[in-house]
Amino acid sequence: RPLGGIERRYVLLFLKTPAFLKEGEAVMTGSAGQKRLPRSYFECKPFPLPPLAEQSRIVTRVEALMRLCDALEAKGQLEAAQHAQLVSTLLGALTASATPDELADHWQRVAQHFDLLLDRPAAIDALEQTLLQLAVRGLLVPQDPTDEPASALLQKIRAEKDRLIATGQIKRDKPLPPITDEEKPFELPVGWEWVRLQQAYDVRDGTHDTPKYQSTGFPLVTSKNLYGGVLDLSDVKLISPADHEQISARSRVNRDDILFAMIGSIGNPVIVDTDTEFSVKNVALFKYYAAALSCPKYLLLVLQAEAAGMKERAAGGVQSFISLGQLRSSVVALPPLSEQSRIVSRVTALRRLCADLRQ
């Protein structure tokens, strides 16, 4: 209601203008928790005053435009949800493909709407996750009948594992249960084998206690140091050499091992790319029975692809966690070693394409 020749709603619009607020911030007084504007700022600030009738027309126009903005925002949110559903449906059809021919047919549907589907970062993220799923199902590269099959690779791994047990370098672990048909989510490509992770890799964990921190010593890596596929040692707590040796006696970390967060933000697998000695807390450690029998970058792809499912199986309330036993018994499809390298090369190239698409 106008008061003394001034429309109060017009005054409110002026007080909300970015220029008024920004200039006001520059003259605030007081501490960070108790900032305030001096009265003089309001008294001395120039105020553009149009005729009363025009004030009313301005308020009416602004209110109408604000309603339009609200409607456009709601429409945008609806369209975003529809877009996400379309992306989920079409990319889901790719991962549901049972054969390369089915995959080719489903890909044609994606290709026809490529520009429409992949026009925002979230869609590129979904595409990249889909590529990982296709990779670990054997649908990204063709099988080579001359490759040594995964069954022969497993025999070599078992022989090396028995040798390490016999020489006391590793302990004999508990027998793993047979893999049931219900645990096999798709038909294996020729030359592949179903395995539990502990059969093909040496899965360990670090300490779950908190050693005493000190100003010098060895880094203690936790899940917060695993982010975006990178091991970040710039912000770590240090522990004594004695505590480091005690943890390392169980789980010594070497270059090319893979770290996997077991608590809170489960997953975020990272390949160790440093020779710096450190210990791990609440982090799983994937090692290899023999370097010549493993492709670390392929295992990284597997863990990235399986991380979401592992999170769903995690226990706990506010802070979920996955146990060492759950990790060791997780079922994955193991390709021939040569095919593992080809898959890594293809995924690396496609991820570069995804990075270009994001740009």
Side-chain angles (χ1 to χ4, degrees):
R1 179 185 301 176
L3 180 65
I6 296 179
E7 168 65 66
R8 286 180 291 187
R9 291 178 297 169
Y10 174 77
V11 177
L12 180 62
L13 292 181
F14 174 72
L15 296 177
K16 290 182 176 180
T17 57
F20 181 85
L21 296 173
K22 185 175 181 180
E23 291 171 18
E25 287 178 4
V27 297
M28 279 183 168
T29 61
S31 59
Q34 200 75 5
K35 290 267 189 179
R36 58 186 176 275
L37 271 172
R39 177 175 174 177
S40 59
Y41 178 70
F42 293 95
E43 292 176 338
C44 301
K45 181 69 179 174
F47 175 64
L49 184 64
L52 180 59
E54 188 172 350
Q55 293 177 40
S56 297
R57 294 198 302 272
I58 290 172
V59 169
T60 300
R61 175 60 61 86
V62 169
E63 289 178 346
L65 291 172
M66 288 299 183
R67 287 193 296 271
L68 176 60
C69 287
D70 291 341
L72 288 172
E73 182 180 8
K75 184 173 184 292
Q77 290 174 347
L78 177 62
E79 289 180 345
Q82 292 172 328
H83 182 276
Q85 181 61 46
L86 183 61
V87 169
S88 175
T89 299
L90 292 181
L91 294 185
L94 295 182
T95 55
S97 303
T99 66
D101 288 340
E102 275 190 33
L103 175 62
D105 290 340
H106 290 147
W107 175 252
Q108 281 302 116
R109 297 171 61 196
V110 174
Q112 289 171 6
H113 308 288
F114 197 82
D115 291 343
L116 172 65
L117 288 172
L118 301 170
D119 64 346
R120 60 199 72 185
I124 308 301
D125 294 342
L127 173 64
E128 189 165 340
Q129 188 61 32
T130 299
L131 294 173
L132 288 177
Q133 294 296 327
L134 296 175
V136 300
R137 289 173 179 242
L139 292 171
L140 271 193
V141 300
Q143 279 70 53
D144 185 342
T146 65
D147 285 343
E148 181 180 72
S151 57
L153 174 62
L154 279 174
Q155 288 178 358
K156 293 178 180 179
I157 290 174
R158 288 190 199 104
E160 178 61 16
K161 185 176 179 180
D162 289 341
R163 187 191 70 81
L164 294 172
I165 292 171
T167 57
Q169 297 181 57
I170 63 173
K171 295 180 179 179
R172 187 178 299 278
D173 42 48
K174 296 179 181 178
L176 295 166
I179 298 172
T180 64
D181 289 340
E182 289 74 21
E183 293 177 287
K184 303 173 183 177
F186 55 88
E187 193 70 26
L188 280 179
V190 175
W192 290 45
E193 292 288 332
W194 288 111
V195 298
R196 297 196 187 276
L197 280 172
Q198 184 68 10
Q199 292 177 272
Y201 308 99
D202 184 2
V203 188
R204 310 181 186 183
D205 61 352
T207 182
H208 296 279
D209 299 321
T210 303
K212 183 178 180 181
Y213 298 130
Q214 52 184 52
S215 59
T216 61
F218 290 88
L220 181 65
V221 166
T222 65
S223 59
K224 72 175 184 179
N225 303 112
L226 313 180
Y227 183 77
V230 177
L231 170 62
D232 183 6
L233 296 177
S234 63
D235 181 24
V236 291
K237 299 256 189 345
L238 303 179
I239 60 175
S240 70
D243 285 335
H244 169 66
E245 280 305 316
Q246 184 178 14
I247 298 170
S248 295
R250 170 190 174 104
S251 299
R252 186 172 296 278
V253 182
N254 300 109
R255 181 182 284 271
D256 288 334
D257 289 346
I258 292 182
L259 308 177
F260 186 96
M262 301 176 69
I263 192 168
S265 181
I266 294 171
N268 294 321
V270 168
I271 288 185
V272 177
D273 59 355
T274 178
D275 293 316
T276 300
E277 282 195 54
F278 60 86
S279 290
V280 291
K281 174 190 172 186
N282 293 330
V283 170
L285 178 64
F286 287 80
K287 301 180 75 68
Y288 317 98
Y289 296 116
L293 302 178
S294 297
C295 178
K297 289 183 178 179
Y298 179 75
L299 174 58
L300 181 68
L301 296 182
V302 170
L303 294 176
Q304 290 170 338
E306 298 294 333
M310 291 179 179
K311 289 178 183 177
E312 291 178 0
R313 297 191 296 272
V318 176
Q319 193 166 38
S320 58
F321 66 91
I322 187 165
S323 70
L324 182 62
Q326 286 175 299
L327 287 175
R328 285 177 166 174
S329 61
S330 295
V331 176
V332 299
L334 185 71
L337 191 57
S338 297
E339 189 172 345
Q340 292 181 35
S341 297
R342 295 198 302 272
I343 291 171
V344 167
S345 296
R346 176 64 60 86
V347 171
T348 300
L350 291 172
R351 278 180 153 169
R352 283 197 293 265
L353 172 61
C354 288
D356 291 341
L357 288 171
R358 287 189 184 92
Q359 292 299 321

